[in-house]
Coordinates of all heavy atoms in Angstrom, one line a residue:
T1 N 0.8 -1.2 0.0 CA 0.0 0.0 0.0 C 0.9 1.2 0.0 O 1.8 1.4 0.8 CB -0.9 0.0 1.2 OG1 -1.7 -1.2 1.2 CG2 -1.8 1.2 1.2
V2 N 0.6 2.2 -0.9 CA 1.4 3.4 -1.0 C 0.5 4.6 -0.6 O -0.6 4.7 -1.0 CB 1.8 3.6 -2.5 CG1 2.5 4.9 -2.7 CG2 2.7 2.4 -2.9
L3 N 1.1 5.4 0.3 CA 0.4 6.6 0.7 C 0.4 7.6 -0.5 O 1.4 7.9 -1.0 CB 1.1 7.2 1.9 CG 0.5 8.5 2.4 CD1 -0.9 8.3 2.8 CD2 1.3 9.0 3.6
M4 N -0.8 8.0 -1.0 CA -0.9 8.8 -2.2 C -0.8 10.3 -1.8 O -0.1 11.1 -2.5 CB -2.2 8.5 -2.9 CG -2.3 7.1 -3.4 SD -3.9 6.8 -4.2 CE -3.9 7.9 -5.5
C5 N -1.6 10.7 -0.8 CA -1.7 12.1 -0.5 C -2.3 12.3 0.9 O -2.8 11.4 1.5 CB -2.5 12.9 -1.5 SG -4.2 12.4 -1.7
R6 N -2.1 13.5 1.4 CA -2.7 13.9 2.7 C -3.5 15.1 2.5 O -3.2 16.0 1.7 CB -1.6 14.2 3.7 CG -2.1 14.6 5.1 CD -0.9 15.1 6.0 NE -0.5 16.4 5.5 CZ 0.8 16.8 5.4 NH1 1.8 16.0 5.7 NH2 1.1 18.0 4.9
G7 N -4.6 15.2 3.3 CA -5.5 16.3 3.1 C -6.1 16.7 4.5 O -5.8 16.0 5.5
K8 N -6.8 17.8 4.5 CA -7.5 18.3 5.7 C -9.0 18.2 5.5 O -9.5 18.6 4.4 CB -7.1 19.7 5.9 CG -7.7 20.3 7.2 CD -7.1 21.7 7.5 CE -7.6 22.7 6.5 NZ -7.2 24.1 6.8
A9 N -9.7 17.6 6.5 CA -11.1 17.5 6.4 C -11.8 18.9 6.4 O -11.5 19.7 7.3 CB -11.6 16.6 7.6
M10 N -12.6 19.1 5.5 CA -13.3 20.4 5.4 C -14.5 20.5 6.2 O -15.1 21.6 6.4 CB -13.6 20.8 3.9 CG -12.3 20.9 3.1 SD -12.6 21.5 1.4 CE -13.6 20.2 0.7
Q11 N -15.0 19.4 6.6 CA -16.2 19.3 7.5 C -16.2 18.0 8.2 O -15.5 17.1 7.9 CB -17.5 19.6 6.8 CG -17.9 18.5 5.8 CD -19.1 18.8 5.0 OE1 -19.1 19.8 4.2 NE2 -20.1 18.0 5.1
D12 N -17.1 17.9 9.3 CA -17.2 16.6 10.0 C -17.9 15.6 9.1 O -18.7 15.9 8.2 CB -18.2 16.8 11.2 CG -17.6 17.7 12.3 OD1 -16.4 18.1 12.2 OD2 -18.3 17.9 13.3
F13 N -17.5 14.3 9.3 CA -18.1 13.2 8.5 C -18.4 12.0 9.4 O -17.4 11.6 10.1 CB -17.2 12.8 7.3 CG -17.7 11.6 6.6 CD1 -18.9 11.7 5.8 CD2 -17.1 10.4 6.7 CE1 -19.4 10.6 5.1 CE2 -17.6 9.3 6.0 CZ -18.7 9.4 5.2
Q14 N -19.6 11.5 9.4 CA -20.0 10.3 10.1 C -20.5 9.3 9.1 O -21.5 9.6 8.5 CB -21.1 10.7 11.1 CG -21.5 9.5 12.0 CD -20.5 9.1 13.1 OE1 -19.9 10.0 13.7 NE2 -20.4 7.9 13.4
G15 N -19.7 8.2 8.9 CA -20.1 7.3 7.9 C -21.3 6.5 8.2 O -21.6 6.3 9.4
P16 N -22.0 5.9 7.2 CA -23.2 5.1 7.5 C -22.9 3.7 8.1 O -23.9 3.2 8.7 CB -23.8 4.9 6.1 CG -22.6 5.0 5.2 CD -21.7 6.0 5.8
D17 N -21.7 3.2 8.1 CA -21.4 1.9 8.7 C -19.9 1.8 8.9 O -19.2 2.7 8.7 CB -22.0 0.7 7.9 CG -21.4 0.7 6.4 OD1 -20.2 0.8 6.3 OD2 -22.2 0.5 5.5
C18 N -19.5 0.6 9.4 CA -18.1 0.4 9.8 C -17.1 0.5 8.6 O -15.9 0.5 8.9 CB -17.9 -0.9 10.5 SG -18.0 -2.4 9.5
R19 N -17.5 0.4 7.4 CA -16.6 0.5 6.3 C -16.1 1.9 6.0 O -15.1 2.1 5.3 CB -17.3 0.0 5.0 CG -17.6 -1.5 5.0 CD -18.4 -1.9 3.8 NE -19.7 -1.1 3.8 CZ -20.5 -1.1 2.8 NH1 -20.2 -1.7 1.7 NH2 -21.6 -0.4 2.8
F20 N -16.7 2.9 6.7 CA -16.3 4.3 6.5 C -15.5 4.8 7.7 O -15.7 4.3 8.8 CB -17.6 5.1 6.3 CG -18.3 4.9 5.0 CD1 -19.1 3.8 4.9 CD2 -18.1 5.7 3.9 CE1 -19.8 3.5 3.7 CE2 -18.7 5.4 2.8 CZ -19.6 4.3 2.6
V21 N -14.6 5.7 7.4 CA -13.8 6.3 8.5 C -14.5 7.7 8.9 O -15.0 8.4 8.0 CB -12.4 6.5 8.1 CG1 -12.2 7.5 6.9 CG2 -11.5 7.0 9.2
N22 N -14.6 7.9 10.2 CA -15.2 9.2 10.6 C -14.1 10.2 10.9 O -13.0 9.8 11.3 CB -16.0 8.9 11.9 CG -17.1 7.9 11.7 OD1 -17.8 7.9 10.6 ND2 -17.3 7.0 12.6
F23 N -14.4 11.5 10.7 CA -13.5 12.5 11.1 C -14.2 13.8 11.4 O -15.4 14.0 11.1 CB -12.4 12.7 9.9 CG -13.0 12.8 8.5 CD1 -13.6 14.0 8.1 CD2 -12.8 11.8 7.6 CE1 -14.1 14.1 6.8 CE2 -13.3 11.9 6.3 CZ -13.9 13.1 5.9
K24 N -13.4 14.7 12.0 CA -13.9 16.0 12.4 C -13.2 17.0 11.5 O -12.1 16.8 11.0 CB -13.5 16.3 13.8 CG -14.1 15.4 14.8 CD -15.5 15.7 15.0 CE -16.1 14.8 16.2 NZ -17.5 14.8 16.2
K25 N -13.9 18.2 11.3 CA -13.3 19.3 10.5 C -11.9 19.6 11.0 O -11.7 19.7 12.2 CB -14.2 20.5 10.5 CG -13.8 21.6 9.7 CD -14.7 22.8 9.8 CE -14.2 23.9 8.9 NZ -15.1 25.1 8.9
G26 N -11.0 19.7 10.0 CA -9.6 20.1 10.4 C -8.7 18.9 10.6 O -7.4 19.1 10.6
E27 N -9.2 17.7 10.8 CA -8.3 16.6 11.0 C -7.6 16.2 9.7 O -8.0 16.4 8.6 CB -9.1 15.3 11.4 CG -9.5 15.4 12.9 CD -10.1 14.1 13.4 OE1 -11.1 13.6 12.9 OE2 -9.5 13.4 14.3
A28 N -6.4 15.6 9.9 CA -5.6 15.2 8.8 C -6.1 13.8 8.3 O -6.4 12.9 9.1 CB -4.1 15.0 9.2
V29 N -6.3 13.7 7.0 CA -6.8 12.4 6.4 C -5.7 12.0 5.4 O -5.3 12.8 4.6 CB -8.1 12.6 5.7 CG1 -8.6 11.3 5.1 CG2 -9.2 13.2 6.7
Y30 N -5.3 10.7 5.5 CA -4.3 10.1 4.6 C -5.0 9.2 3.6 O -5.8 8.4 3.9 CB -3.3 9.4 5.4 CG -2.5 10.3 6.3 CD1 -2.9 10.5 7.6 CD2 -1.3 10.8 5.9 CE1 -2.2 11.4 8.4 CE2 -0.6 11.7 6.7 CZ -1.1 12.0 8.0 OH -0.4 12.8 8.8
V31 N -4.7 9.5 2.3 CA -5.4 8.7 1.2 C -4.5 7.7 0.6 O -3.3 7.9 0.3 CB -5.8 9.7 0.0 CG1 -6.5 9.0 -1.1 CG2 -6.7 10.8 0.6
Y32 N -5.0 6.4 0.6 CA -4.3 5.3 0.0 C -4.9 4.8 -1.3 O -4.2 4.2 -2.1 CB -4.3 4.1 1.1 CG -3.5 4.5 2.3 CD1 -4.1 5.0 3.4 CD2 -2.1 4.3 2.3 CE1 -3.3 5.4 4.5 CE2 -1.3 4.6 3.4 CZ -2.0 5.1 4.5 OH -1.2 5.5 5.6
Y33 N -6.2 4.9 -1.5 CA -6.9 4.4 -2.7 C -7.9 5.4 -3.2 O -8.6 6.0 -2.4 CB -7.6 3.1 -2.4 CG -6.7 2.0 -1.9 CD1 -6.9 1.6 -0.5 CD2 -5.8 1.3 -2.7 CE1 -6.1 0.6 0.0 CE2 -5.0 0.3 -2.2 CZ -5.2 -0.1 -0.8 OH -4.4 -1.1 -0.3
K34 N -8.0 5.5 -4.5 CA -9.1 6.3 -5.1 C -9.9 5.3 -5.9 O -9.4 4.5 -6.7 CB -8.5 7.3 -6.0 CG -7.7 8.4 -5.3 CD -7.2 9.4 -6.2 CE -6.4 10.5 -5.5 NZ -5.8 11.5 -6.4
L35 N -11.2 5.2 -5.6 CA -12.1 4.2 -6.2 C -12.6 4.6 -7.5 O -12.9 5.8 -7.7 CB -13.2 3.9 -5.2 CG -12.9 3.5 -3.8 CD1 -14.1 3.1 -3.0 CD2 -11.9 2.3 -3.8
I36 N -12.7 3.7 -8.5 CA -13.2 4.0 -9.8 C -14.4 3.1 -10.0 O -14.7 2.2 -9.3 CB -12.1 3.7 -10.9 CG1 -11.7 2.3 -10.9 CG2 -11.0 4.6 -10.7 CD1 -10.8 1.9 -12.0
G37 N -15.2 3.5 -11.0 CA -16.4 2.8 -11.3 C -17.6 3.4 -10.7 O -17.8 4.7 -10.7
K38 N -18.5 2.7 -10.0 CA -19.8 3.2 -9.5 C -19.6 4.2 -8.4 O -20.4 5.0 -8.1 CB -20.7 2.1 -9.0 CG -21.2 1.2 -10.2 CD -22.0 0.0 -9.6 CE -22.4 -0.9 -10.7 NZ -23.1 -2.1 -10.2
S39 N -18.5 4.0 -7.6 CA -18.3 4.9 -6.4 C -17.1 5.8 -6.6 O -16.2 5.9 -5.7 CB -18.1 4.0 -5.2 OG -19.3 3.3 -4.9
T40 N -17.0 6.5 -7.7 CA -15.9 7.4 -7.9 C -15.9 8.6 -6.9 O -14.9 9.3 -6.9 CB -15.9 8.0 -9.4 OG1 -17.2 8.6 -9.6 CG2 -15.7 6.8 -10.4
E41 N -16.9 8.8 -6.2 CA -16.9 9.8 -5.2 C -16.3 9.4 -3.9 O -16.1 10.2 -3.0 CB -18.4 10.3 -4.9 CG -19.2 9.4 -4.1 CD -19.8 8.2 -4.9 OE1 -19.6 8.1 -6.2 OE2 -20.4 7.3 -4.3
L42 N -15.9 8.1 -3.8 CA -15.3 7.7 -2.5 C -13.8 7.4 -2.7 O -13.3 7.0 -3.7 CB -15.9 6.3 -2.1 CG -17.4 6.3 -1.7 CD1 -17.8 4.9 -1.4 CD2 -17.5 7.3 -0.5
W43 N -13.0 7.8 -1.6 CA -11.6 7.4 -1.5 C -11.5 6.6 -0.3 O -12.4 6.6 0.6 CB -10.8 8.7 -1.4 CG -10.6 9.4 -2.7 CD1 -11.0 9.0 -3.9 CD2 -10.0 10.7 -2.9 NE1 -10.7 10.0 -4.9 CE2 -10.0 11.0 -4.2 CE3 -9.3 11.5 -2.0 CZ2 -9.5 12.2 -4.8 CZ3 -8.8 12.7 -2.5 CH2 -8.9 13.0 -3.9
A44 N -10.4 5.9 -0.1 CA -10.1 5.1 1.1 C -8.8 5.6 1.7 O -7.9 5.9 1.0 CB -10.0 3.6 0.7
G45 N -8.9 5.8 3.0 CA -7.7 6.3 3.7 C -7.9 6.1 5.2 O -8.7 5.4 5.7
S46 N -7.0 6.8 6.0 CA -7.0 6.7 7.4 C -7.0 8.0 8.1 O -6.5 9.0 7.6 CB -5.7 5.9 7.8 OG -4.6 6.6 7.5
V47 N -7.5 8.0 9.3 CA -7.5 9.1 10.2 C -7.1 8.5 11.6 O -7.8 7.6 12.1 CB -8.9 9.8 10.4 CG1 -8.9 10.9 11.4 CG2 -9.4 10.3 9.1
G48 N -5.9 8.8 12.0 CA -5.3 8.2 13.2 C -5.1 6.7 12.9 O -4.6 6.3 11.8
S49 N -5.7 5.8 13.7 CA -5.5 4.4 13.5 C -6.7 3.8 12.8 O -6.8 2.6 12.6 CB -5.3 3.7 14.8 OG -6.4 3.9 15.7
D50 N -7.7 4.6 12.4 CA -8.9 4.2 11.8 C -8.8 4.2 10.3 O -8.2 5.2 9.7 CB -10.1 5.0 12.2 CG -10.5 4.9 13.7 OD1 -10.2 3.8 14.2 OD2 -10.9 5.9 14.2
F51 N -9.3 3.2 9.6 CA -9.2 3.1 8.1 C -10.6 2.9 7.5 O -11.4 2.1 8.1 CB -8.3 2.0 7.7 CG -8.1 1.9 6.2 CD1 -7.0 2.6 5.6 CD2 -8.9 1.1 5.4 CE1 -6.9 2.6 4.2 CE2 -8.7 1.1 4.0 CZ -7.7 1.8 3.4
G52 N -10.9 3.5 6.4 CA -12.1 3.3 5.8 C -12.4 4.3 4.6 O -11.5 5.0 4.2
Y53 N -13.6 4.2 4.1 CA -14.0 5.1 3.0 C -14.5 6.4 3.4 O -15.0 6.5 4.5 CB -15.0 4.3 2.1 CG -14.6 3.0 1.6 CD1 -15.0 1.8 2.2 CD2 -13.7 2.9 0.6 CE1 -14.6 0.6 1.7 CE2 -13.2 1.7 0.1 CZ -13.7 0.5 0.7 OH -13.2 -0.7 0.2
F54 N -14.4 7.4 2.5 CA -15.0 8.7 2.8 C -15.2 9.4 1.5 O -14.6 9.1 0.5 CB -14.1 9.5 3.7 CG -12.7 9.8 3.1 CD1 -12.5 10.9 2.4 CD2 -11.7 8.9 3.3 CE1 -11.2 11.1 1.8 CE2 -10.4 9.0 2.8 CZ -10.2 10.2 2.0
P55 N -16.2 10.4 1.5 CA -16.4 11.2 0.3 C -15.2 12.1 -0.1 O -14.8 12.8 0.8 CB -17.6 12.0 0.6 CG -18.2 11.4 1.8 CD -17.1 10.7 2.5
K56 N -14.7 11.9 -1.3 CA -13.5 12.7 -1.6 C -13.7 14.2 -1.6 O -12.8 15.0 -1.4 CB -13.0 12.3 -3.0 CG -13.9 12.7 -4.2 CD -13.3 12.3 -5.5 CE -14.2 12.7 -6.6 NZ -13.6 12.3 -7.9
D57 N -15.0 14.6 -1.8 CA -15.3 16.1 -1.8 C -15.1 16.7 -0.4 O -15.1 18.0 -0.4 CB -16.8 16.3 -2.3 CG -17.0 15.8 -3.7 OD1 -16.0 15.7 -4.4 OD2 -18.1 15.7 -4.1
L58 N -15.0 15.9 0.6 CA -14.8 16.5 2.0 C -13.4 16.8 2.3 O -13.1 17.2 3.4 CB -15.4 15.6 3.0 CG -16.9 15.3 2.9 CD1 -17.4 14.5 4.0 CD2 -17.7 16.6 2.8
L59 N -12.5 16.5 1.4 CA -11.0 16.6 1.7 C -10.4 17.7 0.8 O -10.6 17.7 -0.4 CB -10.4 15.2 1.4 CG -9.0 15.0 1.9 CD1 -8.9 15.1 3.4 CD2 -8.4 13.7 1.4
E60 N -9.6 18.5 1.5 CA -8.8 19.5 0.8 C -7.3 19.0 0.8 O -6.7 18.9 1.8 CB -8.8 20.8 1.5 CG -7.9 21.9 0.9 CD -8.0 23.2 1.8 OE1 -9.1 23.5 2.3 OE2 -6.9 23.8 1.9
I61 N -6.8 18.5 -0.4 CA -5.5 18.0 -0.5 C -4.5 19.0 -0.2 O -4.5 20.1 -0.8 CB -5.3 17.3 -1.9 CG1 -6.3 16.3 -2.2 CG2 -3.8 16.8 -2.0 CD1 -6.3 15.1 -1.2
N62 N -3.5 18.7 0.7 CA -2.4 19.7 0.9 C -1.0 19.2 0.8 O -0.1 19.9 0.9 CB -2.6 20.4 2.3 CG -2.8 19.4 3.4 OD1 -2.3 18.3 3.4 ND2 -3.5 19.9 4.5
H63 N -0.9 17.9 0.5 CA 0.4 17.3 0.2 C 0.2 16.0 -0.6 O -0.5 15.1 -0.2 CB 1.1 17.0 1.5 CG 2.6 16.6 1.3 ND1 3.6 17.5 1.0 CD2 3.2 15.4 1.2 CE1 4.7 16.9 0.8 NE2 4.5 15.6 0.9
N64 N 1.0 15.9 -1.7 CA 1.0 14.7 -2.5 C 2.3 13.9 -2.2 O 3.4 14.5 -2.2 CB 0.9 15.0 -4.0 CG -0.5 15.4 -4.5 OD1 -1.4 14.6 -4.2 ND2 -0.6 16.5 -5.0
Y65 N 2.1 12.6 -2.0 CA 3.3 11.8 -1.7 C 3.8 11.0 -2.9 O 4.9 10.6 -3.0 CB 3.0 10.8 -0.5 CG 2.8 11.5 0.8 CD1 1.5 11.7 1.3 CD2 3.9 11.9 1.6 CE1 1.3 12.3 2.5 CE2 3.7 12.5 2.8 CZ 2.4 12.7 3.2 OH 2.2 13.4 4.4
S66 N 2.8 10.6 -3.7 CA 3.1 9.8 -4.9 C 2.5 10.3 -6.1 O 1.4 10.8 -6.1 CB 2.6 8.3 -4.6 OG 2.8 7.5 -5.8
N67 N 3.2 10.2 -7.2 CA 2.7 10.6 -8.5 C 1.9 9.5 -9.2 O 1.1 9.7 -10.1 CB 3.8 11.1 -9.5 CG 4.4 12.4 -9.0 OD1 3.7 13.3 -8.5 ND2 5.7 12.6 -9.3
E68 N 2.1 8.3 -8.7 CA 1.3 7.1 -9.2 C 0.0 7.0 -8.4 O 0.0 7.1 -7.2 CB 2.1 5.9 -9.0 CG 3.4 5.8 -9.8 CD 4.1 4.4 -9.6 OE1 3.4 3.4 -9.4 OE2 5.3 4.4 -9.6
E69 N -1.1 6.9 -9.2 CA -2.4 6.8 -8.5 C -2.8 5.3 -8.6 O -2.7 4.7 -9.6 CB -3.4 7.6 -9.3 CG -3.2 9.1 -9.0 CD -4.5 9.9 -9.4 OE1 -5.4 9.3 -9.9 OE2 -4.4 11.1 -9.2
L70 N -3.2 4.8 -7.5 CA -3.7 3.4 -7.4 C -5.2 3.5 -7.3 O -5.8 4.0 -6.4 CB -3.2 2.7 -6.1 CG -3.6 1.3 -5.9 CD1 -3.2 0.4 -7.1 CD2 -3.0 0.7 -4.7
E71 N -5.8 3.0 -8.4 CA -7.3 3.1 -8.5 C -7.8 1.6 -8.5 O -7.3 0.8 -9.2 CB -7.7 3.7 -9.8 CG -7.3 5.2 -9.9 CD -7.8 5.9 -11.1 OE1 -7.9 5.2 -12.2 OE2 -8.1 7.1 -11.1
L72 N -8.8 1.4 -7.6 CA -9.4 0.1 -7.5 C -10.8 0.1 -8.0 O -11.6 1.0 -7.6 CB -9.4 -0.3 -6.0 CG -8.1 -0.5 -5.4 CD1 -8.3 -0.8 -3.9 CD2 -7.3 -1.6 -6.0
P73 N -11.3 -0.9 -8.8 CA -12.7 -1.0 -9.1 C -13.5 -1.2 -7.9 O -13.1 -1.9 -7.0 CB -12.7 -2.2 -10.0 CG -11.3 -2.5 -10.4 CD -10.4 -2.0 -9.4
T74 N -14.6 -0.5 -7.8 CA -15.4 -0.5 -6.6 C -16.0 -1.9 -6.3 O -16.1 -2.3 -5.1 CB -16.6 0.4 -6.7 OG1 -17.4 0.1 -7.8 CG2 -16.1 1.9 -6.7
D75 N -16.2 -2.8 -7.3 CA -16.7 -4.1 -7.0 C -15.7 -5.0 -6.3 O -16.0 -6.0 -5.7 CB -17.3 -4.8 -8.2 CG -16.2 -4.9 -9.3 OD1 -15.3 -4.1 -9.3 OD2 -16.4 -5.8 -10.2
V76 N -14.4 -4.6 -6.4 CA -13.3 -5.4 -5.8 C -12.9 -4.8 -4.5 O -12.6 -5.6 -3.5 CB -12.1 -5.4 -6.7 CG1 -10.9 -6.0 -6.0 CG2 -12.4 -6.1 -8.0
S77 N -13.0 -3.5 -4.3 CA -12.5 -2.9 -3.1 C -13.4 -2.9 -1.9 O -12.9 -2.8 -0.8 CB -12.1 -1.4 -3.5 OG -13.3 -0.7 -3.8
I78 N -14.7 -3.1 -2.1 CA -15.6 -3.0 -0.9 C -15.9 -4.4 -0.5 O -17.0 -4.9 -0.6 CB -16.8 -2.2 -1.2 CG1 -16.4 -0.8 -1.7 CG2 -17.7 -2.1 0.0 CD1 -17.5 0.2 -2.0
L79 N -14.9 -5.2 -0.1 CA -15.0 -6.6 0.2 C -15.3 -6.9 1.7 O -15.8 -7.9 2.1 CB -13.8 -7.4 -0.2 CG -13.5 -7.4 -1.7 CD1 -12.2 -8.1 -2.0 CD2 -14.7 -8.1 -2.4
F80 N -14.9 -6.0 2.6 CA -15.1 -6.3 4.0 C -16.5 -5.9 4.5 O -17.2 -5.1 3.9 CB -14.0 -5.7 4.9 CG -13.9 -4.2 4.9 CD1 -14.6 -3.4 5.8 CD2 -13.2 -3.5 3.9 CE1 -14.5 -2.0 5.8 CE2 -13.1 -2.1 3.9 CZ -13.7 -1.4 4.9
V81 N -17.0 -6.6 5.5 CA -18.3 -6.6 6.0 C -18.3 -6.1 7.4 O -17.5 -6.5 8.2 CB -19.0 -7.9 5.8 CG1 -20.5 -7.9 6.3 CG2 -19.0 -8.4 4.4
C82 N -19.3 -5.4 7.8 CA -19.5 -4.9 9.2 C -20.0 -6.1 10.0 O -20.9 -6.8 9.6 CB -20.4 -3.8 9.3 SG -19.9 -2.3 8.5
L83 N -19.4 -6.4 11.2 CA -19.8 -7.5 12.0 C -20.6 -6.9 13.2 O -20.3 -5.9 13.7 CB -18.6 -8.3 12.5 CG -17.9 -9.0 11.3 CD1 -16.7 -9.7 11.9 CD2 -18.8 -10.0 10.6

């Protein structure tokens, strides 16, 4: 897994289930995957020790780590289930 970029949350986000990462406005969010296909509005990343999906529109990118973008088809990337 390659860290793609870091951004700042522009507003609070509370995900609908455990596959999503929650954050507060101003928190640093680290992006590892950009999803393609049906869920192009979602990226996957971490906030602290929590990992999950979040709407890309809520993130203001302030640092790029990699010029290579890793894009995953949404039907492959959303494999884990909330227990």
Side-chain angles (χ1 to χ4, degrees):
T1 304
V2 176
L3 179 59
M4 296 175 64
C5 57
R6 180 187 71 223
K8 182 173 68 172
M10 296 188 296
Q11 66 185 61
D12 292 356
F13 175 69
Q14 181 76 35
D17 60 45
C18 75
R19 295 174 299 168
F20 292 81
V21 64
N22 301 321
F23 48 74
K24 301 283 186 197
K25 181 178 180 178
E27 280 191 298
V29 180
Y30 295 87
V31 179
Y32 293 92
Y33 304 108
K34 295 179 179 179
L35 305 185
I36 60 174
K38 294 179 184 173
S39 294
T40 55
E41 72 281 356
L42 293 178
W43 286 354
S46 65
V47 177
S49 61
D50 296 329
F51 183 88
Y53 301 105
F54 60 90
K56 69 179 184 179
D57 295 342
L58 300 183
L59 193 64
E60 177 184 324
I61 301 299
N62 51 28
H63 188 81
N64 284 304
Y65 292 100
S66 172
N67 290 328
E68 292 183 34
E69 291 195 356
L70 181 57
E71 296 181 329
L72 297 177
T74 54
D75 58 337
V76 172
S77 63
I78 305 181
L79 294 177
F80 61 96
V81 178
C82 297
L83 298 175

